[in-house]
């Protein structure tokens, strides 16, 4: 193994924390979703811990469509839009990256390209775009649509969407802006390129009215793990967030996606694979277990049944008790297919009761939950990192801010002592810290290739 290889860390900051009842915990910031000072604090904590980036998931609709008794207990419904929030946080930090989620199904390429290019400028090269197709069917009605597009159609649109956005980011060459006061020439017109894209889903002329982003492109992140998602990641993504429960599953995913890169002219280092991990940390194993059990005790019974009903769409659970074995999950969904498979494998592998299933989902929605002392947490991360399962991890604190404080104060020093994690930032941009190359402008590359062919 290359001894210089270092693991990457993202801080997945879900307002009050990732546990479904996090907002009820006495250590949580209950109003976190709309509390700027809270996000400022945890972002600066992540930077102190030398994390590569903070990451926000997002959806263009309320996720919860359940009955009022359950919905009124949901502490995750009201929150900031990510790019807006990150634009405010960027000047308060220096090195940490900002990865914002935005939908290819419910946004348009031009406006998305513009706002992410702007964030890259405002942060001096620390922006990333988490490309999602949106699994939440509730979103359709917010955009005048009767139906949520089919899974395959969403991914087909996403592939074209990403290509258009990259083309718009290449509208201007890096040195296009001369700004020569004496001659009166502001930019070199030969270094402005009109995209003129006409495809199945989009017709976009361009150019973008923002210069080429400092990173060339903000870092492209993707989270889907279905067949469509894996292929899109292999073609377009530079970081992929994934959910795996076992080392074997993580190794299979890692090898499969890395193995797809060559056909797109890419090398394994061009894509960083970062599984989600939900760490419950105690100074001892016993303390960690106590903290885990206390968190689980905060789940209201109606919320527990709501969790189960959301997984068993169109299946009547009225005849079951929580101590009955979980029945087979639905075989298909128009939402997140990879998450359905992960939960199906969990049920089949563990022979779980409905109670055990909702407790498993309540923590990290299918991501890996690890409970233990700082040394134990570090051991488990090191095992995956050193055995072909991960290039790093997307850390999902159970509660915030204390869950991130514990990871930074207790786990990061152990990873550093073992030589697994940086002791200072390698660069000033997100790309530099992730070890990713800055992409060439497609129009410049095309001109160079044409010149070589003519010679």
């Amino acid at each position: 193994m290359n001894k210089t290889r270092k693991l990457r860390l993202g801080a997945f900051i879900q307002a009050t924390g990732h546990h479904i009842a996090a907002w009820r915990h006495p250590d949580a910031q209950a109003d976190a979703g709309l509390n700027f000072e809270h996000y400022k604090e945890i972002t600066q904590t992540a930077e102190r811990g030398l994390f590569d980036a903070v990451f926000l998931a997002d959806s263009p609709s309320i996720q919860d469509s359940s009955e009022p008794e359950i919905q009124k207990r949901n502490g995750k419904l009201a929150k900031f839009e990510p790019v807006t929030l990150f634009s405010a946080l960027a000047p308060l930090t220096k090195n940490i990256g900002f990865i914002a989620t935005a939908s290819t199904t419910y946004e348009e390429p031009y406006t998305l390209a513009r706002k992410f290019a702007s964030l890259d400028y405002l942060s001096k090269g620390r922006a990333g775009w988490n490309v999602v197709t949106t699994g939440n069917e509730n979103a359709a009605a917010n955009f005048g649509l009767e139906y949520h597009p089919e899974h395959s159609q969403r991914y087909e649109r996403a592939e074209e969407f990403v290509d258009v956005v990259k083309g718009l980011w290449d509208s201007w060459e890096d040195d296009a802006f001369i700004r020569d006061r004496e001659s009166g020439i502001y930019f070199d017109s030969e270094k402005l390129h009109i995209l003129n894209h006409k495809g199945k889903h989009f017709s976009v002329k361009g150019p973008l009215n923002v210069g080429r982003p400092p990173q060339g492109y903000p870092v492209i992140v993707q989270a889907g793990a279905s067949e469509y998602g894996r292929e899109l990641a292999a073609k377009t993504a530079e970081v992929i967030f994934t959910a795996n429960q076992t080392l074997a599953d993580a190794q299979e995913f890692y090898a499969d996606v890395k193995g797809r890169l060559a056909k797109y002219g890419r090398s394994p280092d061009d894509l960083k694979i970062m599984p989600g991990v939900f760490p419950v940390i105690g100074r001892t194993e016993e303390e960690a277990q106590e903290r885990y059990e206390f968190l689980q005790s905060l789940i209201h019974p109606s919320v527990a049944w709501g969790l189960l009903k959301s997984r068993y769409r169109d299946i009547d659970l009225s005849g079951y008790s929580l101590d009955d074995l979980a029945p087979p999950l639905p075989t298909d969904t128009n939402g997140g297919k990879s998450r359905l498979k992960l939960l199906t494998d969990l049920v089949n592998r563990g022979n779980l009761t409905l109670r055990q299933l909702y407790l498993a989902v309540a923590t990290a929605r299918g991501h890996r939950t690890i409970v233990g002392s700082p040394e134990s947490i570090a051991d488990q991360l090191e095992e995956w990192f050193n055995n072909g399962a991960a290039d790093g991890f997307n850390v999902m604190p159970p509660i915030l801010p204390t869950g991130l404080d514990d990871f930074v104060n207790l786990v990061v020093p152990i990873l550093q002592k073992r030589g697994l994690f940086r002791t200072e930032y390698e660069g000033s941009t997100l790309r530099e810290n992730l070890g990713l190359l800055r992409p060439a402008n497609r129009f410049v590359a095309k001109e160079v290739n044409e010149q070589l062919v003519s010679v």
Side-chain angles (χ1 to χ4, degrees):
M1 188 188 74
N2 184 352
K3 292 183 179 179
T4 64
R5 180 172 174 254
K6 295 286 191 289
L7 63 81
R8 313 297 174 182
L9 290 177
F12 187 170
I13 51 175
Q14 194 180 78
T16 57
H18 281 270
H19 193 274
I20 195 166
W23 72 270
R24 299 185 66 195
H25 195 286
D27 292 340
Q29 182 71 41
D31 67 348
L34 300 173
N35 185 321
F36 178 73
E37 291 301 319
H38 166 77
Y39 281 104
K40 174 184 172 183
E41 176 188 343
I42 58 179
T43 300
Q44 291 176 336
T45 297
E47 185 168 60
R48 176 169 59 83
L50 305 178
F51 275 61
D52 290 271
V54 289
F55 163 66
L56 277 182
D58 194 50
S59 175
S61 68
I62 283 182
Q63 297 275 11
D64 191 345
S65 61
S66 56
E67 55 262 33
E69 170 60 25
I70 299 170
Q71 190 177 59
K72 71 183 183 182
R73 301 179 186 279
N74 190 329
K76 301 177 185 290
L77 297 186
K79 54 194 176 183
F80 291 123
E81 187 281 320
V83 174
T84 311
L85 174 63
F86 287 159
S87 296
L89 290 169
L92 306 178
T93 55
K94 183 180 178 182
N95 295 103
I96 197 160
F98 296 100
I99 299 172
T101 297
S103 172
T104 58
T105 303
Y106 294 108
E107 297 207 33
E108 290 295 324
Y110 192 93
T111 50
L112 186 145
R114 189 183 188 207
K115 69 181 180 181
F116 276 89
S118 298
L119 179 61
D120 209 40
Y121 272 97
L122 292 168
S123 64
K124 298 181 180 179
R126 293 182 282 140
W129 170 30
N130 179 41
V131 180
V132 298
T133 66
T134 301
N136 184 2
E137 296 187 5
N138 297 338
N142 290 340
F143 296 89
L145 301 178
E146 291 189 25
Y147 303 103
H148 187 52
E150 288 296 320
H151 186 271
S152 60
Q153 293 174 342
R154 300 200 307 272
Y155 273 92
E156 180 185 78
R157 174 184 162 104
E159 186 173 338
E160 184 179 343
F161 193 114
V162 173
D163 186 59
V164 172
V165 167
K166 288 180 175 179
L168 288 169
W169 285 334
D170 285 335
S171 295
W172 306 86
E173 294 183 24
D174 292 320
D175 57 353
F177 295 100
I178 300 168
R179 302 186 181 99
D180 188 319
R181 289 186 173 93
E182 186 172 340
S183 68
I185 303 298
Y186 193 80
F187 71 90
D188 183 342
S189 59
E190 292 186 0
K191 296 185 177 183
L192 170 62
H193 302 279
I194 310 301
L195 182 61
N196 278 326
H197 174 89
K198 292 188 182 298
K200 179 176 179 180
H201 297 277
F202 303 105
S203 176
V204 181
K205 181 180 179 181
L208 192 66
N209 58 348
V210 184
R212 192 161 194 255
Q215 295 183 100
Y217 306 154
V219 173
I220 302 293
V221 183
Q222 206 246 326
S226 64
E227 177 60 28
Y228 288 114
R230 294 181 187 212
E231 200 63 23
L232 181 65
K235 184 175 181 179
T236 67
E238 297 169 295
V239 176
I240 185 165
F241 294 152
T242 181
N244 300 112
Q245 286 283 342
T246 68
L247 175 62
D249 286 347
Q251 289 171 323
E252 182 278 326
F253 179 84
Y254 188 96
D256 177 68
V257 176
K258 296 269 187 174
R260 299 176 189 232
L261 295 172
K263 66 181 175 183
Y264 296 113
R266 307 180 67 198
S267 74
D269 286 339
D270 292 336
L271 175 64
K272 310 300 179 184
I273 296 178
M274 299 173 64
V277 60
F278 176 99
V280 181
I281 306 164
R283 293 185 183 275
T284 65
E285 297 291 324
E286 293 76 17
E287 183 182 57
Q289 191 62 38
E290 288 173 5
R291 289 182 173 184
Y292 172 78
E293 290 172 1
F294 178 67
L295 263 171
Q296 298 289 51
S297 74
L298 298 176
I299 305 170
H300 191 275
S302 65
V303 173
W305 280 109
L307 268 177
L308 294 170
K309 289 175 183 177
S310 70
R311 298 306 189 267
Y312 286 94
R313 295 282 296 272
D314 303 321
I315 295 178
D316 183 9
L317 295 178
S318 60
Y320 288 85
S321 77
L322 290 175
D323 294 315
D324 288 331
L325 282 178
L329 284 156
T331 57
D332 198 16
T333 178
N334 192 30
K337 292 184 181 294
S338 58
R339 194 57 50 87
L340 174 62
K341 181 183 184 304
L342 190 149
L343 294 176
T344 298
D345 290 346
L346 186 66
V347 169
N348 294 343
R349 183 170 57 244
N351 205 27
L352 302 183
T353 64
L354 284 170
R355 186 185 309 279
Q356 291 170 322
L357 177 59
Y358 91 68
L359 288 173
V361 175
T363 54
R365 304 173 305 284
H367 288 275
R368 183 184 178 207
T369 297
I370 51 178
V371 181
S373 67
E375 292 78 9
S376 170
I377 300 292
D379 289 344
Q380 294 177 73
L381 300 182
E382 182 176 6
E383 180 187 22
W384 281 35
F385 179 66
N386 285 340
N387 288 282
D391 294 312
F393 300 91
N394 207 22
V395 178
M396 305 166 62
I399 55 174
L400 286 168
T402 54
L404 184 61
D405 292 339
D406 288 344
F407 192 94
V408 168
N409 295 336
L410 301 175
V411 179
V412 166
I414 297 171
L415 297 174
Q416 290 171 326
K417 186 176 181 180
R418 296 180 185 183
L420 295 169
F421 190 57
R422 65 168 64 92
T423 54
E424 61 182 0
Y425 283 106
E426 294 85 352
S428 60
T429 71
L430 179 56
R431 283 187 175 281
E432 289 168 344
N433 289 321
L434 286 170
L436 296 169
L437 297 175
R438 188 177 188 275
N441 186 303
R442 69 169 64 180
F443 297 105
V444 175
K446 181 181 178 182
E447 289 171 1
V448 170
N449 289 335
E450 289 173 348
Q451 290 170 3
L452 290 174
V453 169
S454 65
V455 171

